Amino acid sequence: METPRPRLTLAERLYLPQVIGGIAVTTRHFARNLALHTLHLFGLAKDRAAAVTTQYPEERKTYTEGYRGAHRLTLKPDGSVRCTACFLCATACPAKCINIEAGEHPDPNVEKYPVRYEIDTLQCIYCGMCVEACPCDAIRMDTFVHPRLWGYQREDFIEPKAVLMERSRILQTRGRDALMEDMQRAYERGEDRGPALGGRLTPS
Ligand code: SF4
Ligand code: SF4
């Protein structure tokens, strides 16, 4: 059954009350925060918190253990990719942003492997369904880094297999903070390619 749309009043159709209301809310928060920050400078009203902007990526908040960050493809002990190209993650992905091309592995004991594995981070909604769907713990989101923040073309935000594997190598060899440090260093230098960034390292 079709539900009739409610009729808008003249004031609602003009949008002006809503615009003025929005500006009033913003102004109220601005004035409150300005006043509280000024009082804090003089040691007053310390018990009342004022909004603080975290200057990311220079500053970072502490993330909880359940934080879902940029993806990584986990590795076997020999350093090769653990993924068996079963497509379960791509099937479970609600954003349809995982693209896999499966290939025959040269090792007869391994049935398949991903010749190409890419995640379009502009489409990804960071829901974690791919991690949940994977039957062999081949993809994780425990990197504690955001996907890359800057780029000049859509391809800059497509993370290929090489980048996803490199994150696992960095985690294993230099620890979790190294991923973020690499990203911050690259951001300061204005680099647009490199480990942990989501740029293409090598053809995957
Ligand atoms: S986190 Fe969600 S949207 Fe992103 S690749 Fe995984 S399943 Fe798809
Ligand atoms: S990451 Fe896991 S679910 Fe996705 S294709 Fe590889 S093995 Fe399958």
Side-chain angles (χ1 to χ4, degrees), residues 7-8 14 20 28 44 50 104 106 129 159 170 174 186 190 198 203:
R7 286 180 69 83
L8 297 178
L14 285 174
I20 292 167
R28 195 172 67 237
L44 301 168
E104 295 295 324
M129 295 289 282
E159 298 189 335
I170 292 173
R174 293 166 51 214

Side-chain angles (χ1 to χ4, degrees), residues 4 25 27 70 86 137 144 159 164 171 185-186:
V25 169
T27 308
C86 70
D137 190 24
F144 281 66
E159 298 189 335
L164 297 167
L171 268 184
R185 203 172 303 123

Side-chain angles (χ1 to χ4, degrees), residues 4-15 18:
R5 297 185 65 174
R7 286 180 69 83
L8 297 178
T9 63
L10 178 64
E12 286 170 334
R13 274 184 280 159
L14 285 174
Y15 292 111
Q18 286 73 23

Side-chain angles (χ1 to χ4, degrees), residues 82-100:
R82 187 177 288 276
C83 173
T84 56
C86 70
F87 287 79
L88 279 176
C89 55
T91 306
C93 175
K96 301 291 169 222
C97 62
I98 301 178
N99 292 301
I100 305 169

